[in-house]
Amino acid sequence: MAEYITLAVDGLQALLDELKRREYRVLGPTIRDQAIVYDDIESLRDLPMGWTDEQSGGHYRLVARQDDAIFGYPVGPHSWKRFLHPPVLPLWQAESAGNSVRITTTQGPDQPFAFIGVRSCDLHAIAIQDRVLIGGQHVDPSYRDRRKGAFIVAVNCGEAGGTCFCASMNTGPKVEDGFDLALTEIVIDDQRLFLTEVGSPAGRDVLLQVPHRPATPDEIAAADGVTARTAASMGRVMRSDDVRELLLGNLDHPRWDEVAERCLTCGNCTMVCPTCFCTSVEDSSDLLSGKSGRTRHWASCFTLDFSYIHGGSVRGSARSRYRQWMTHKLASWVDQFGSSGCVGCGRCITWCPVGIDITEEVRAIREDRPAERTHHED
Amino acid sequence: MPTRSKKPRLAVWKFASCDGCQLTLLDCEDELLAVAGAIDIAYFPEATRGKIEGRYDLSLVEGSITTPHDAERIREVRRRSATLVTIGACATAGGIQALRNFADVKEYASVVYARPDYIDTLATSTAIADHVAVDFELRGCPISKKQLLEVIAAYLAGRRPQAPAHSVCVECKHKGNVCVMVAHKTPCLGPVTHAGCNALCPSYGRGCYGCYGPMESPNAVSLSQWLKPLGLDERDLQRLYRTFNANAPAFRKESERHGP
């Protein structure tokens, strides 16, 4: 039986204070450069109260709301992988020390993370990266150290964004597990409240230090109404039950050529995707300090380096690179990791500079299958 | 006089250019001492008077080829150099002076010079690689100091320089920048431009000008389609691609689609 309590707005501030007192690095949504990004949060004032955003393919605009909602926006350009799986990570440094070489490896973060405002799609994305990066035989020690002890304050989405399709991917909008606390922002009698579900002993322990009261049945019902409305207002829809078979059965579909004409191979989709996990390492040697080092950074299957082997790049064309990304995300990911690699957050649609829409690409292939075409183009 | 060291000999050569890229080497300040400690800076007119004849292990070449004399001289530089690296947009694409490639150079000369008959110039400004074999091209207008040091450090270590040819977008996303094109509707050449500047302009809220030239697989046709609704007309689009890398094939081709 789920445990529900209610926080008022000052209770939310007390929660942030308590997390800071426990020496978490508190990260959450804040406005920077006309977007809602994730960054360090000092107090409620840093949160995007009264703001939302408008999103469609290749389009994002920060918009003022008519109310004071604190979490009244869908997901923005950043995902939590910035912190759990950082874009640039020094792995080790080596320097000469007399006749030997001294190697210093990078330590984990000084403080555990507390994430404020994690949406259901992103909880699923974190669960996917957990499976990929620490769930198998080969554990990524950096991810393990960053993930360990992370405190997650989830938020049930109050409205769906223009490119959201979590309902299609069965990844939201209502959070199910993988959180310490889950908030639903509700307004009852003109009072802004946060119906809070306790998801872990750590969550309960933190709440003991935060002013709260048991939730009323009305509040619970109001919160259920919020997620039901969100589920019914998804900006995008994608039939996902047969998408693996659909894509793997259409590897020579002419649509791949069509999307390649629009694709910039810039890599934005892979960088904003909360599950894309590929990295590459580069070695450096510094003339001034005499130190050498190895740095890991996010890689993208849209670059030529990604598939470079002796003699050249395996995936030279935009067609082969887009197809690799999309078939991996929606199809071969299932064989590899036991679930789809897509959580329906819509970031790849919004942040594609030319608005390529993964749901539209699936639809185009679905609606024009080889058997239904008069001739087969390759 | 016997050579003082076994250090590799470096030469810096200048062709048609503004000197900004070779000055990047002097700009290195602290690191310059480390460079001077590791290599013998044998020919660098911008920094030293001495001219040493002979062969060079590493030649850094700045500037484009714009005269018959320079077209000959670059062959001599190539003959004297074991490894030849071109630095900057002039040397790698012809530079801003390649705008002459789209016009009549005789007409330009008649307007600019009192005695155009003294001017002995080619009709085009072209990249060094159009004339001789080049071992590595370092992009940028100007080049980045960090990347120049990387090229020298990589040369000394016998490894490949880390200078990825993917888009500027990758650098923006590594830094956590909010996309200026998607979120601000600012025209940006980042998706078709070669990385290396660490996304300098977008980090300050401006669109990329493409001063590192085309990335490895640029799709400028598709990008231009999306730039039009942001308020760019045909002339704007042509000018966007016709700056420091106007003669780089992908940018030249796209600029020609938007006017003569």
PDB file of all heavy atoms in Angstrom, chain A residues 33 59-60 78 82 261-263 265-266 268 285 298 303-304 321 350 354, chain B residues 153 159 162 167 169 173-174 176 182-185 216-217 219 222 226:
ATOM      1  N   ASP A  33      19.344  30.880 -20.138  1.00  0.00           N
ATOM      2  CA  ASP A  33      19.376  31.036 -21.596  1.00  0.00           C
ATOM      3  C   ASP A  33      18.028  30.696 -22.245  1.00  0.00           C
ATOM      4  O   ASP A  33      17.972  29.991 -23.253  1.00  0.00           O
ATOM      5  CB  ASP A  33      20.486  30.177 -22.212  1.00  0.00           C
ATOM      6  CG  ASP A  33      21.863  30.624 -21.742  1.00  0.00           C
ATOM      7  OD1 ASP A  33      22.017  31.809 -21.419  1.00  0.00           O
ATOM      8  OD2 ASP A  33      22.769  29.771 -21.687  1.00  0.00           O
ATOM      9  N   HIS A  59      11.720  23.020 -32.327  1.00  0.00           N
ATOM     10  CA  HIS A  59      11.210  24.276 -31.758  1.00  0.00           C
ATOM     11  C   HIS A  59      11.027  24.162 -30.257  1.00  0.00           C
ATOM     12  O   HIS A  59      10.405  23.215 -29.764  1.00  0.00           O
ATOM     13  CB  HIS A  59       9.876  24.624 -32.421  1.00  0.00           C
ATOM     14  CG  HIS A  59       9.152  25.770 -31.771  1.00  0.00           C
ATOM     15  ND1 HIS A  59       9.512  27.072 -31.975  1.00  0.00           N
ATOM     16  CD2 HIS A  59       8.111  25.781 -30.898  1.00  0.00           C
ATOM     17  CE1 HIS A  59       8.702  27.854 -31.256  1.00  0.00           C
ATOM     18  NE2 HIS A  59       7.852  27.097 -30.600  1.00  0.00           N
ATOM     19  N   TYR A  60      11.555  25.155 -29.522  1.00  0.00           N
ATOM     20  CA  TYR A  60      11.392  25.238 -28.071  1.00  0.00           C
ATOM     21  C   TYR A  60      11.253  26.705 -27.720  1.00  0.00           C
ATOM     22  O   TYR A  60      12.035  27.533 -28.184  1.00  0.00           O
ATOM     23  CB  TYR A  60      12.631  24.672 -27.368  1.00  0.00           C
ATOM     24  CG  TYR A  60      12.585  24.751 -25.844  1.00  0.00           C
ATOM     25  CD1 TYR A  60      12.207  23.654 -25.087  1.00  0.00           C
ATOM     26  CD2 TYR A  60      12.932  25.925 -25.182  1.00  0.00           C
ATOM     27  CE1 TYR A  60      12.164  23.728 -23.694  1.00  0.00           C
ATOM     28  CE2 TYR A  60      12.891  26.002 -23.790  1.00  0.00           C
ATOM     29  CZ  TYR A  60      12.510  24.898 -23.055  1.00  0.00           C
ATOM     30  OH  TYR A  60      12.474  24.971 -21.686  1.00  0.00           O
ATOM     31  N   HIS A  78      18.131  19.371 -21.090  1.00  0.00           N
ATOM     32  CA  HIS A  78      19.053  18.511 -20.339  1.00  0.00           C
ATOM     33  C   HIS A  78      18.351  17.250 -19.851  1.00  0.00           C
ATOM     34  O   HIS A  78      17.143  17.246 -19.659  1.00  0.00           O
ATOM     35  CB  HIS A  78      19.571  19.239 -19.094  1.00  0.00           C
ATOM     36  CG  HIS A  78      20.531  20.351 -19.398  1.00  0.00           C
ATOM     37  ND1 HIS A  78      20.994  21.206 -18.432  1.00  0.00           N
ATOM     38  CD2 HIS A  78      21.122  20.737 -20.553  1.00  0.00           C
ATOM     39  CE1 HIS A  78      21.831  22.083 -18.982  1.00  0.00           C
ATOM     40  NE2 HIS A  78      21.916  21.829 -20.266  1.00  0.00           N
ATOM     41  N   ARG A  82      23.552  13.990 -17.685  1.00  0.00           N
ATOM     42  CA  ARG A  82      24.642  14.982 -17.538  1.00  0.00           C
ATOM     43  C   ARG A  82      25.428  14.753 -16.259  1.00  0.00           C
ATOM     44  O   ARG A  82      26.601  15.057 -16.175  1.00  0.00           O
ATOM     45  CB  ARG A  82      24.086  16.393 -17.396  1.00  0.00           C
ATOM     46  CG  ARG A  82      23.615  17.100 -18.567  1.00  0.00           C
ATOM     47  CD  ARG A  82      23.664  18.608 -18.382  1.00  0.00           C
ATOM     48  NE  ARG A  82      25.006  19.133 -18.519  1.00  0.00           N
ATOM     49  CZ  ARG A  82      25.712  19.121 -19.634  1.00  0.00           C
ATOM     50  NH1 ARG A  82      25.205  18.627 -20.735  1.00  0.00           N
ATOM     51  NH2 ARG A  82      26.927  19.589 -19.650  1.00  0.00           N
ATOM     52  N   GLU A 261      18.027  12.741 -46.387  1.00  0.00           N
ATOM     53  CA  GLU A 261      18.108  14.037 -47.074  1.00  0.00           C
ATOM     54  C   GLU A 261      17.932  15.185 -46.089  1.00  0.00           C
ATOM     55  O   GLU A 261      18.439  16.275 -46.300  1.00  0.00           O
ATOM     56  CB  GLU A 261      17.026  14.136 -48.156  1.00  0.00           C
ATOM     57  CG  GLU A 261      17.423  13.398 -49.412  1.00  0.00           C
ATOM     58  CD  GLU A 261      16.367  13.498 -50.495  1.00  0.00           C
ATOM     59  OE1 GLU A 261      15.537  14.445 -50.443  1.00  0.00           O
ATOM     60  OE2 GLU A 261      16.368  12.624 -51.368  1.00  0.00           O
ATOM     61  N   ARG A 262      17.184  14.931 -45.018  1.00  0.00           N
ATOM     62  CA  ARG A 262      16.955  15.984 -44.028  1.00  0.00           C
ATOM     63  C   ARG A 262      17.964  15.927 -42.879  1.00  0.00           C
ATOM     64  O   ARG A 262      18.287  16.942 -42.282  1.00  0.00           O
ATOM     65  CB  ARG A 262      15.535  15.861 -43.458  1.00  0.00           C
ATOM     66  CG  ARG A 262      14.462  16.291 -44.469  1.00  0.00           C
ATOM     67  CD  ARG A 262      13.068  16.056 -43.912  1.00  0.00           C
ATOM     68  NE  ARG A 262      12.725  14.635 -43.893  1.00  0.00           N
ATOM     69  CZ  ARG A 262      12.180  13.999 -42.853  1.00  0.00           C
ATOM     70  NH1 ARG A 262      11.907  14.649 -41.760  1.00  0.00           N
ATOM     71  NH2 ARG A 262      11.913  12.716 -42.919  1.00  0.00           N
ATOM     72  N   CYS A 263      18.440  14.732 -42.546  1.00  0.00           N
ATOM     73  CA  CYS A 263      19.316  14.561 -41.379  1.00  0.00           C
ATOM     74  C   CYS A 263      20.633  15.306 -41.579  1.00  0.00           C
ATOM     75  O   CYS A 263      21.267  15.200 -42.621  1.00  0.00           O
ATOM     76  CB  CYS A 263      19.588  13.075 -41.147  1.00  0.00           C
ATOM     77  SG  CYS A 263      20.730  12.776 -39.781  1.00  0.00           S
ATOM     78  N   THR A 265      23.244  14.836 -39.587  1.00  0.00           N
ATOM     79  CA  THR A 265      24.290  14.027 -38.929  1.00  0.00           C
ATOM     80  C   THR A 265      25.072  14.851 -37.898  1.00  0.00           C
ATOM     81  O   THR A 265      26.261  14.655 -37.697  1.00  0.00           O
ATOM     82  CB  THR A 265      25.290  13.369 -39.925  1.00  0.00           C
ATOM     83  OG1 THR A 265      25.997  14.389 -40.649  1.00  0.00           O
ATOM     84  CG2 THR A 265      24.583  12.454 -40.900  1.00  0.00           C
ATOM     85  N   CYS A 266      24.366  15.767 -37.244  1.00  0.00           N
ATOM     86  CA  CYS A 266      25.022  16.664 -36.277  1.00  0.00           C
ATOM     87  C   CYS A 266      25.182  15.998 -34.915  1.00  0.00           C
ATOM     88  O   CYS A 266      26.011  16.420 -34.118  1.00  0.00           O
ATOM     89  CB  CYS A 266      24.222  17.955 -36.139  1.00  0.00           C
ATOM     90  SG  CYS A 266      22.514  17.722 -35.596  1.00  0.00           S
ATOM     91  N   ASN A 268      22.874  15.843 -32.468  1.00  0.00           N
ATOM     92  CA  ASN A 268      22.098  16.424 -31.370  1.00  0.00           C
ATOM     93  C   ASN A 268      21.159  15.420 -30.706  1.00  0.00           C
ATOM     94  O   ASN A 268      21.017  15.406 -29.477  1.00  0.00           O
ATOM     95  CB  ASN A 268      21.286  17.624 -31.869  1.00  0.00           C
ATOM     96  CG  ASN A 268      22.090  18.905 -31.839  1.00  0.00           C
ATOM     97  OD1 ASN A 268      22.598  19.298 -30.807  1.00  0.00           O
ATOM     98  ND2 ASN A 268      22.229  19.554 -32.983  1.00  0.00           N
ATOM     99  N   SER A 285      48.591  14.606 -24.197  1.00  0.00           N
ATOM    100  CA  SER A 285      49.915  14.768 -23.601  1.00  0.00           C
ATOM    101  C   SER A 285      50.165  16.266 -23.556  1.00  0.00           C
ATOM    102  O   SER A 285      50.086  16.930 -24.571  1.00  0.00           O
ATOM    103  CB  SER A 285      50.965  14.041 -24.434  1.00  0.00           C
ATOM    104  OG  SER A 285      50.777  14.268 -25.815  1.00  0.00           O
ATOM    105  N   TRP A 298      31.124  11.856 -24.303  1.00  0.00           N
ATOM    106  CA  TRP A 298      29.994  11.307 -25.051  1.00  0.00           C
ATOM    107  C   TRP A 298      30.381  11.176 -26.517  1.00  0.00           C
ATOM    108  O   TRP A 298      30.945  12.118 -27.105  1.00  0.00           O
ATOM    109  CB  TRP A 298      28.789  12.250 -24.957  1.00  0.00           C
ATOM    110  CG  TRP A 298      28.084  12.288 -23.655  1.00  0.00           C
ATOM    111  CD1 TRP A 298      28.262  11.450 -22.587  1.00  0.00           C
ATOM    112  CD2 TRP A 298      27.068  13.220 -23.264  1.00  0.00           C
ATOM    113  NE1 TRP A 298      27.419  11.822 -21.564  1.00  0.00           N
ATOM    114  CE2 TRP A 298      26.675  12.891 -21.951  1.00  0.00           C
ATOM    115  CE3 TRP A 298      26.446  14.297 -23.906  1.00  0.00           C
ATOM    116  CZ2 TRP A 298      25.692  13.608 -21.262  1.00  0.00           C
ATOM    117  CZ3 TRP A 298      25.476  15.010 -23.219  1.00  0.00           C
ATOM    118  CH2 TRP A 298      25.103  14.663 -21.913  1.00  0.00           C
ATOM    119  N   THR A 303      28.596  10.377 -35.978  1.00  0.00           N
ATOM    120  CA  THR A 303      29.898  10.855 -36.465  1.00  0.00           C
ATOM    121  C   THR A 303      30.586   9.747 -37.256  1.00  0.00           C
ATOM    122  O   THR A 303      30.306   8.558 -37.071  1.00  0.00           O
ATOM    123  CB  THR A 303      30.821  11.274 -35.300  1.00  0.00           C
ATOM    124  OG1 THR A 303      31.200  10.109 -34.562  1.00  0.00           O
ATOM    125  CG2 THR A 303      30.124  12.259 -34.359  1.00  0.00           C
ATOM    126  N   LEU A 304      31.505  10.159 -38.120  1.00  0.00           N
ATOM    127  CA  LEU A 304      32.262   9.171 -38.896  1.00  0.00           C
ATOM    128  C   LEU A 304      33.256   8.420 -38.017  1.00  0.00           C
ATOM    129  O   LEU A 304      33.518   7.240 -38.227  1.00  0.00           O
ATOM    130  CB  LEU A 304      32.997   9.862 -40.054  1.00  0.00           C
ATOM    131  CG  LEU A 304      32.117  10.236 -41.254  1.00  0.00           C
ATOM    132  CD1 LEU A 304      32.899  11.087 -42.248  1.00  0.00           C
ATOM    133  CD2 LEU A 304      31.575   8.991 -41.953  1.00  0.00           C
ATOM    134  N   ARG A 321      23.679   5.947 -40.909  1.00  0.00           N
ATOM    135  CA  ARG A 321      23.851   6.404 -39.527  1.00  0.00           C
ATOM    136  C   ARG A 321      22.504   6.639 -38.855  1.00  0.00           C
ATOM    137  O   ARG A 321      22.308   6.253 -37.716  1.00  0.00           O
ATOM    138  CB  ARG A 321      24.716   7.674 -39.487  1.00  0.00           C
ATOM    139  CG  ARG A 321      26.196   7.350 -39.688  1.00  0.00           C
ATOM    140  CD  ARG A 321      27.050   8.591 -39.671  1.00  0.00           C
ATOM    141  NE  ARG A 321      27.446   8.984 -41.009  1.00  0.00           N
ATOM    142  CZ  ARG A 321      27.975  10.167 -41.301  1.00  0.00           C
ATOM    143  NH1 ARG A 321      28.145  11.068 -40.356  1.00  0.00           N
ATOM    144  NH2 ARG A 321      28.329  10.448 -42.542  1.00  0.00           N
ATOM    145  N   THR A 350      12.351  17.649 -30.365  1.00  0.00           N
ATOM    146  CA  THR A 350      12.440  19.086 -30.095  1.00  0.00           C
ATOM    147  C   THR A 350      13.812  19.646 -30.472  1.00  0.00           C
ATOM    148  O   THR A 350      13.900  20.720 -31.071  1.00  0.00           O
ATOM    149  CB  THR A 350      12.195  19.358 -28.594  1.00  0.00           C
ATOM    150  OG1 THR A 350      10.887  18.908 -28.247  1.00  0.00           O
ATOM    151  CG2 THR A 350      12.329  20.841 -28.271  1.00  0.00           C
ATOM    152  N   VAL A 354      16.510  20.375 -37.420  1.00  0.00           N
ATOM    153  CA  VAL A 354      15.591  20.362 -38.554  1.00  0.00           C
ATOM    154  C   VAL A 354      14.329  19.539 -38.248  1.00  0.00           C
ATOM    155  O   VAL A 354      13.620  19.113 -39.166  1.00  0.00           O
ATOM    156  CB  VAL A 354      16.284  19.875 -39.857  1.00  0.00           C
ATOM    157  CG1 VAL A 354      17.367  20.862 -40.277  1.00  0.00           C
ATOM    158  CG2 VAL A 354      16.887  18.490 -39.702  1.00  0.00           C
TER     159      VAL A 354
ATOM    160  N   ALA B 153      51.949  18.756 -29.742  1.00  0.00           N
ATOM    161  CA  ALA B 153      52.150  17.693 -28.748  1.00  0.00           C
ATOM    162  C   ALA B 153      51.961  16.318 -29.384  1.00  0.00           C
ATOM    163  O   ALA B 153      52.722  15.384 -29.107  1.00  0.00           O
ATOM    164  CB  ALA B 153      51.187  17.872 -27.575  1.00  0.00           C
ATOM    165  N   ARG B 159      51.587  10.623 -32.225  1.00  0.00           N
ATOM    166  CA  ARG B 159      50.201  10.147 -32.276  1.00  0.00           C
ATOM    167  C   ARG B 159      49.352  11.086 -33.129  1.00  0.00           C
ATOM    168  O   ARG B 159      49.815  12.155 -33.536  1.00  0.00           O
ATOM    169  CB  ARG B 159      49.630  10.026 -30.858  1.00  0.00           C
ATOM    170  CG  ARG B 159      49.599  11.337 -30.092  1.00  0.00           C
ATOM    171  CD  ARG B 159      48.921  11.200 -28.734  1.00  0.00           C
ATOM    172  NE  ARG B 159      49.040  12.432 -27.967  1.00  0.00           N
ATOM    173  CZ  ARG B 159      48.270  13.510 -28.143  1.00  0.00           C
ATOM    174  NH1 ARG B 159      47.331  13.501 -29.076  1.00  0.00           N
ATOM    175  NH2 ARG B 159      48.451  14.594 -27.431  1.00  0.00           N
ATOM    176  N   GLN B 162      44.092  15.121 -31.691  1.00  0.00           N
ATOM    177  CA  GLN B 162      42.676  15.025 -31.355  1.00  0.00           C
ATOM    178  C   GLN B 162      41.998  16.303 -31.837  1.00  0.00           C
ATOM    179  O   GLN B 162      42.050  17.324 -31.158  1.00  0.00           O
ATOM    180  CB  GLN B 162      42.496  14.899 -29.838  1.00  0.00           C
ATOM    181  CG  GLN B 162      43.222  13.745 -29.200  1.00  0.00           C
ATOM    182  CD  GLN B 162      42.515  12.432 -29.411  1.00  0.00           C
ATOM    183  OE1 GLN B 162      41.427  12.388 -29.974  1.00  0.00           O
ATOM    184  NE2 GLN B 162      43.129  11.357 -28.982  1.00  0.00           N
ATOM    185  N   SER B 167      30.268  17.886 -35.819  1.00  0.00           N
ATOM    186  CA  SER B 167      29.658  19.213 -35.800  1.00  0.00           C
ATOM    187  C   SER B 167      29.992  19.993 -34.527  1.00  0.00           C
ATOM    188  O   SER B 167      30.378  19.415 -33.504  1.00  0.00           O
ATOM    189  CB  SER B 167      28.135  19.064 -35.888  1.00  0.00           C
ATOM    190  OG  SER B 167      27.646  18.521 -34.673  1.00  0.00           O
ATOM    191  N   CYS B 169      27.708  21.242 -32.846  1.00  0.00           N
ATOM    192  CA  CYS B 169      26.620  20.852 -31.938  1.00  0.00           C
ATOM    193  C   CYS B 169      27.124  19.921 -30.829  1.00  0.00           C
ATOM    194  O   CYS B 169      26.666  20.018 -29.690  1.00  0.00           O
ATOM    195  CB  CYS B 169      25.505  20.136 -32.699  1.00  0.00           C
ATOM    196  SG  CYS B 169      24.786  21.135 -34.012  1.00  0.00           S
ATOM    197  N   LYS B 173      26.565  20.553 -26.885  1.00  0.00           N
ATOM    198  CA  LYS B 173      25.876  19.617 -26.003  1.00  0.00           C
ATOM    199  C   LYS B 173      26.797  19.143 -24.888  1.00  0.00           C
ATOM    200  O   LYS B 173      26.347  18.953 -23.754  1.00  0.00           O
ATOM    201  CB  LYS B 173      25.335  18.429 -26.810  1.00  0.00           C
ATOM    202  CG  LYS B 173      24.172  18.801 -27.738  1.00  0.00           C
ATOM    203  CD  LYS B 173      22.946  19.261 -26.958  1.00  0.00           C
ATOM    204  CE  LYS B 173      21.742  19.545 -27.828  1.00  0.00           C
ATOM    205  NZ  LYS B 173      21.763  20.873 -28.472  1.00  0.00           N
ATOM    206  N   HIS B 174      28.079  18.958 -25.165  1.00  0.00           N
ATOM    207  CA  HIS B 174      29.009  18.605 -24.089  1.00  0.00           C
ATOM    208  C   HIS B 174      29.014  19.695 -23.022  1.00  0.00           C
ATOM    209  O   HIS B 174      29.074  19.418 -21.829  1.00  0.00           O
ATOM    210  CB  HIS B 174      30.431  18.429 -24.644  1.00  0.00           C
ATOM    211  CG  HIS B 174      30.656  17.111 -25.334  1.00  0.00           C
ATOM    212  ND1 HIS B 174      31.864  16.740 -25.874  1.00  0.00           N
ATOM    213  CD2 HIS B 174      29.830  16.072 -25.580  1.00  0.00           C
ATOM    214  CE1 HIS B 174      31.768  15.527 -26.402  1.00  0.00           C
ATOM    215  NE2 HIS B 174      30.536  15.108 -26.241  1.00  0.00           N
ATOM    216  N   GLY B 176      26.588  21.703 -22.331  1.00  0.00           N
ATOM    217  CA  GLY B 176      25.270  21.940 -21.741  1.00  0.00           C
ATOM    218  C   GLY B 176      24.627  23.213 -22.249  1.00  0.00           C
ATOM    219  O   GLY B 176      23.680  23.720 -21.638  1.00  0.00           O
ATOM    220  N   VAL B 182      17.212  26.241 -31.905  1.00  0.00           N
ATOM    221  CA  VAL B 182      15.928  25.674 -31.501  1.00  0.00           C
ATOM    222  C   VAL B 182      15.218  26.571 -30.473  1.00  0.00           C
ATOM    223  O   VAL B 182      14.011  26.794 -30.577  1.00  0.00           O
ATOM    224  CB  VAL B 182      16.128  24.244 -30.930  1.00  0.00           C
ATOM    225  CG1 VAL B 182      14.857  23.724 -30.271  1.00  0.00           C
ATOM    226  CG2 VAL B 182      16.580  23.290 -32.036  1.00  0.00           C
ATOM    227  N   ALA B 183      15.965  27.095 -29.497  1.00  0.00           N
ATOM    228  CA  ALA B 183      15.311  27.818 -28.393  1.00  0.00           C
ATOM    229  C   ALA B 183      15.216  29.321 -28.616  1.00  0.00           C
ATOM    230  O   ALA B 183      14.374  29.976 -28.026  1.00  0.00           O
ATOM    231  CB  ALA B 183      16.039  27.538 -27.080  1.00  0.00           C
ATOM    232  N   HIS B 184      16.090  29.884 -29.441  1.00  0.00           N
ATOM    233  CA  HIS B 184      16.091  31.344 -29.617  1.00  0.00           C
ATOM    234  C   HIS B 184      15.772  31.770 -31.044  1.00  0.00           C
ATOM    235  O   HIS B 184      15.701  32.955 -31.318  1.00  0.00           O
ATOM    236  CB  HIS B 184      17.455  31.958 -29.238  1.00  0.00           C
ATOM    237  CG  HIS B 184      17.970  31.548 -27.892  1.00  0.00           C
ATOM    238  ND1 HIS B 184      19.273  31.712 -27.514  1.00  0.00           N
ATOM    239  CD2 HIS B 184      17.343  30.975 -26.829  1.00  0.00           C
ATOM    240  CE1 HIS B 184      19.441  31.254 -26.272  1.00  0.00           C
ATOM    241  NE2 HIS B 184      18.290  30.789 -25.849  1.00  0.00           N
ATOM    242  N   LYS B 185      15.713  30.809 -31.962  1.00  0.00           N
ATOM    243  CA  LYS B 185      15.486  31.092 -33.386  1.00  0.00           C
ATOM    244  C   LYS B 185      16.628  31.932 -33.977  1.00  0.00           C
ATOM    245  O   LYS B 185      16.420  32.753 -34.867  1.00  0.00           O
ATOM    246  CB  LYS B 185      14.133  31.809 -33.602  1.00  0.00           C
ATOM    247  CG  LYS B 185      12.943  31.012 -33.088  1.00  0.00           C
ATOM    248  CD  LYS B 185      12.717  29.735 -33.870  1.00  0.00           C
ATOM    249  CE  LYS B 185      11.832  28.741 -33.146  1.00  0.00           C
ATOM    250  NZ  LYS B 185      12.487  27.479 -32.818  1.00  0.00           N
ATOM    251  N   GLU B 216      32.481  16.999 -41.224  1.00  0.00           N
ATOM    252  CA  GLU B 216      32.832  15.830 -42.044  1.00  0.00           C
ATOM    253  C   GLU B 216      31.744  15.403 -43.033  1.00  0.00           C
ATOM    254  O   GLU B 216      32.051  14.882 -44.096  1.00  0.00           O
ATOM    255  CB  GLU B 216      33.171  14.660 -41.125  1.00  0.00           C
ATOM    256  CG  GLU B 216      32.000  14.315 -40.176  1.00  0.00           C
ATOM    257  CD  GLU B 216      32.392  13.364 -39.061  1.00  0.00           C
ATOM    258  OE1 GLU B 216      33.576  13.043 -38.932  1.00  0.00           O
ATOM    259  OE2 GLU B 216      31.471  12.955 -38.327  1.00  0.00           O
ATOM    260  N   SER B 217      30.490  15.604 -42.688  1.00  0.00           N
ATOM    261  CA  SER B 217      29.416  15.185 -43.609  1.00  0.00           C
ATOM    262  C   SER B 217      28.319  16.247 -43.582  1.00  0.00           C
ATOM    263  O   SER B 217      27.221  16.004 -43.091  1.00  0.00           O
ATOM    264  CB  SER B 217      28.865  13.814 -43.204  1.00  0.00           C
ATOM    265  OG  SER B 217      28.518  13.792 -41.825  1.00  0.00           O
ATOM    266  N   ASN B 219      25.294  18.720 -44.312  1.00  0.00           N
ATOM    267  CA  ASN B 219      24.066  18.716 -45.111  1.00  0.00           C
ATOM    268  C   ASN B 219      23.511  20.144 -45.099  1.00  0.00           C
ATOM    269  O   ASN B 219      22.525  20.449 -44.425  1.00  0.00           O
ATOM    270  CB  ASN B 219      23.058  17.719 -44.534  1.00  0.00           C
ATOM    271  CG  ASN B 219      21.830  17.558 -45.411  1.00  0.00           C
ATOM    272  OD1 ASN B 219      21.625  18.337 -46.360  1.00  0.00           O
ATOM    273  ND2 ASN B 219      21.008  16.567 -45.109  1.00  0.00           N
ATOM    274  N   SER B 222      19.764  20.887 -46.304  1.00  0.00           N
ATOM    275  CA  SER B 222      18.698  20.699 -45.317  1.00  0.00           C
ATOM    276  C   SER B 222      18.698  21.821 -44.284  1.00  0.00           C
ATOM    277  O   SER B 222      17.639  22.341 -43.924  1.00  0.00           O
ATOM    278  CB  SER B 222      18.877  19.341 -44.626  1.00  0.00           C
ATOM    279  OG  SER B 222      17.957  19.193 -43.576  1.00  0.00           O
ATOM    280  N   TRP B 226      15.750  25.158 -43.171  1.00  0.00           N
ATOM    281  CA  TRP B 226      15.273  25.548 -41.838  1.00  0.00           C
ATOM    282  C   TRP B 226      15.699  26.949 -41.460  1.00  0.00           C
ATOM    283  O   TRP B 226      15.165  27.516 -40.510  1.00  0.00           O
ATOM    284  CB  TRP B 226      15.725  24.526 -40.788  1.00  0.00           C
ATOM    285  CG  TRP B 226      14.745  23.394 -40.736  1.00  0.00           C
ATOM    286  CD1 TRP B 226      14.604  22.419 -41.673  1.00  0.00           C
ATOM    287  CD2 TRP B 226      13.731  23.158 -39.751  1.00  0.00           C
ATOM    288  NE1 TRP B 226      13.574  21.574 -41.323  1.00  0.00           N
ATOM    289  CE2 TRP B 226      13.029  22.005 -40.142  1.00  0.00           C
ATOM    290  CE3 TRP B 226      13.364  23.791 -38.560  1.00  0.00           C
ATOM    291  CZ2 TRP B 226      11.973  21.485 -39.402  1.00  0.00           C
ATOM    292  CZ3 TRP B 226      12.316  23.266 -37.825  1.00  0.00           C
ATOM    293  CH2 TRP B 226      11.626  22.125 -38.243  1.00  0.00           C
TER     294      TRP B 226
END
